[in-house]
Amino acid sequence: MKLMNFHSLAELIQPQVKQMSGREATINTLVVTIKQFSDTLSNTKSPDASRVLKDARISLSSGIVDVTIRTPRTKFSTIIRELSEVWSDLSEFPHIFPLSSSIKLILPGEDYALFRGKLEHLREATTHANVAKLTLNLSPHAEMTPGIASYITELLFRNGVNILDAFLGYGDVIMVVDDRDGPLAYDVLQGEIHGSTKWRGGNHEPSR
């Protein structure tokens, strides 16, 4: 499992998951689930993931747009080149994630307005507007902690936060959540960073 391409596996099992559950599951949801299962297969004793978050830094951005461009991998470079023509006008460099059969863009709403013209000819482009982005910068020690990604996603799940997209790197964890869940997710993770026990029971009900 440690050598497997999680995105490819997720795309392979997505039709079976829909058939068995009767519900649509996104590729990123399946990737997170596969990663959680993979971590349980390790026989190596892992350090307590909750303790290594104390040196992390977290930021929350609202008014974010989550864009998915479904396209063959052979067209990735062309699309990125088209989008790069407006990069100098953006407020910040967008998060760009090339996946197995799509490109994911995470960027502020005002910057998406500049990109929109470049995306009009891409009929397979879909957007989720008015979402929030959580960026968690991990310490070097946390980066090497087995199970850290699963711990974070499970922690938010227990506290009622629905993760729409998650991108798990060695140094950064970027998560997209519903805009109204953003403050709750921030408070939950901030509590772990500062060692608070308030959120660990998973009993907090998010306000709606």
Side-chain angles (χ1 to χ4, degrees), residues 63 65 67 69 79-94 105 107-122 127:
V65 178
V67 183
I69 304 172
I79 292 175
I80 296 298
R81 187 164 53 250
E82 290 179 5
L83 298 178
S84 68
E85 295 175 3
V86 296
W87 284 355
S88 60
D89 298 324
L90 303 182
S91 62
E92 62 182 59
F93 196 82
L105 301 175
L107 70 168
E110 61 269 23
D111 289 345
Y112 170 67
L114 299 176
F115 268 128
R116 188 179 302 164
K118 298 290 183 181
L119 300 174
E120 287 179 348
H121 68 290
L122 300 172
T127 62

Side-chain angles (χ1 to χ4, degrees), residues 2 64 75 77 87 124 169 187:
K2 294 301 181 183
I64 299 297
K75 296 184 179 180
S77 59
W87 284 355
E124 294 300 317
D187 287 345

Side-chain angles (χ1 to χ4, degrees), residues 24 43 51 61-62 70 72 105 113 115 119 125 133 142 181 186-187 190:
E24 191 76 44
N43 293 324
R51 296 180 181 177
S61 303
S62 59
R70 299 194 180 279
L105 301 175
F115 268 128
L119 300 174
K133 178 186 70 175
D181 286 340
Y186 181 90
D187 287 345
Q190 192 77 304

Side-chain angles (χ1 to χ4, degrees), residues 42-48 146:
S42 175
N43 293 324
T44 304
K45 186 176 181 181
S46 301
D48 185 355

Side-chain angles (χ1 to χ4, degrees):
M1 290 294 288
K2 294 301 181 183
L3 300 179
M4 184 171 289
N5 185 316
F6 292 157
H7 283 285
S8 296
L9 178 59
E11 287 190 334
L12 179 65
I13 68 173
Q14 188 182 37
Q16 288 87 344
V17 171
K18 181 178 180 180
Q19 183 179 9
M20 295 176 64
S21 66
R23 301 174 64 182
E24 191 76 44
T26 67
I27 293 297
N28 284 292
T29 297
L30 293 176
V31 167
V32 171
T33 303
I34 294 168
K35 180 67 171 64
Q36 291 175 340
F37 177 72
S38 174
D39 289 338
T40 67
L41 300 181
S42 175
N43 293 324
T44 304
K45 186 176 181 181
S46 301
D48 185 355
S50 65
R51 296 180 181 177
V52 298
L53 283 182
K54 64 183 181 66
D55 295 321
R57 292 178 291 110
I58 183 174
S59 63
L60 172 65
S61 303
S62 59
I64 299 297
V65 178
D66 182 332
V67 183
T68 301
I69 304 172
R70 299 194 180 279
T71 184
R73 184 177 289 272
T74 54
K75 296 184 179 180
F76 279 13
S77 59
T78 301
I79 292 175
I80 296 298
R81 187 164 53 250
E82 290 179 5
L83 298 178
S84 68
E85 295 175 3
V86 296
W87 284 355
S88 60
D89 298 324
L90 303 182
S91 62
E92 62 182 59
F93 196 82
H95 296 290
I96 303 176
F97 303 98
L99 306 178
S100 57
S101 59
S102 64
I103 299 174
K104 177 74 68 173
L105 301 175
I106 309 295
L107 70 168
E110 61 269 23
D111 289 345
Y112 170 67
L114 299 176
F115 268 128
R116 188 179 302 164
K118 298 290 183 181
L119 300 174
E120 287 179 348
H121 68 290
L122 300 172
R123 286 183 286 180
E124 294 300 317
T126 58
T127 62
H128 286 93
N130 298 318
V131 295
K133 178 186 70 175
L134 288 152
T135 303
L136 194 61
N137 304 115
L138 303 175
S139 67
H141 176 55
E143 293 173 17
M144 305 306 295
T145 301
I148 184 67
S150 298
Y151 176 80
I152 293 170
T153 54
E154 184 179 351
L155 174 68
L156 293 179
F157 173 78
R158 291 200 318 265
N159 285 279
V161 177
N162 179 34
I163 300 175
L164 304 177
D165 271 317
F167 302 93
L168 315 175
Y170 283 106
D172 296 322
V173 177
I174 297 173
M175 292 169 287
V176 177
V177 301
D178 190 278
D179 200 49
R180 59 185 177 180
D181 286 340
L184 171 61
Y186 181 90
D187 287 345
V188 170
L189 293 173
Q190 192 77 304
E192 289 297 303
I193 290 171
H194 293 291
S196 170
T197 59
K198 177 181 180 181
W199 306 101
R200 293 181 186 171
N203 296 321
H204 179 78
E205 291 293 334
S207 58
R208 298 297 184 188

